[in-house]
Amino acid sequence: QVQLVESGGGLVQPGGSLRLSCVASGRIFAINRMGWYRQAPGKQRELVADINSSGSTNYADSVKGRFTISRDNAKNTVYLQMSSLNPEDTAVYYCNAEGFFYNDYGRRNPLDAWGQGTLVTVSS
């Protein structure tokens, strides 16, 4: 099984920057894709950005040009650098990882893990 732990959330002023981190640990065989999602009060969870093992990225239109996703494959870590933050970015941000992990019998199983979330609040 794989566990994901996010960090880096907090309170920032509009126009400010914040860097989120997510570390995956456990019996990992491979993590093919990692992504960041967010959920604001009263809204559904939405994809913010994701990145595959080759470095290909996708971004929500609302964050293009402001957010940058990156990963360190050796450390099983994904980052989200957020700049020019505005109040609409306020949400709980969740990390997701997809790939494969080893079960108790050494067999490869599909992986789809989520972190507990980290709160980002953009306010003056």
Side-chain angles (χ1 to χ4, degrees):
Q1 199 166 9
V2 176
Q3 296 78 44
L4 271 56
V5 179
E6 303 104 330
S7 62
L11 175 64
V12 295
Q13 296 185 96
S17 299
L18 207 60
R19 184 174 184 255
L20 306 182
S21 299
C22 173
V23 181
S25 62
R27 303 169 75 170
I28 299 169
F29 174 79
I31 297 179
N32 301 125
R33 190 194 71 85
M34 302 189 79
W36 287 97
Y37 296 72
R38 68 185 182 187
Q39 187 166 23
K43 294 187 176 181
Q44 293 186 326
R45 186 175 299 186
E46 64 175 348
L47 175 68
V48 177
D50 61 16
I51 183 169
N52 65 21
S53 58
S54 67
S56 180
T57 60
N58 293 293
Y59 295 93
D61 289 341
S62 60
V63 306
K64 286 181 179 178
R66 300 189 297 121
F67 291 10
T68 301
I69 189 170
S70 61
R71 65 185 290 177
D72 186 333
N73 292 332
K75 298 180 179 179
N76 291 319
T77 301
V78 64
Y79 307 93
L80 186 67
Q81 178 65 52
M82 305 183 292
S83 300
S84 301
L85 287 163
N86 58 64
E88 287 69 47
D89 296 315
T90 296
V92 177
Y93 285 70
Y94 298 91
C95 177
N96 171 250
E98 296 179 351
F100 296 91
F101 71 97
Y102 293 110
N103 64 15
D104 291 341
Y105 304 96
R107 294 285 234 99
R108 189 181 71 180
N109 277 22
L111 181 162
D112 187 359
W114 291 86
Q116 82 290 343
T118 184
L119 177 63
V120 173
T121 302
V122 185
S123 176
S124 59

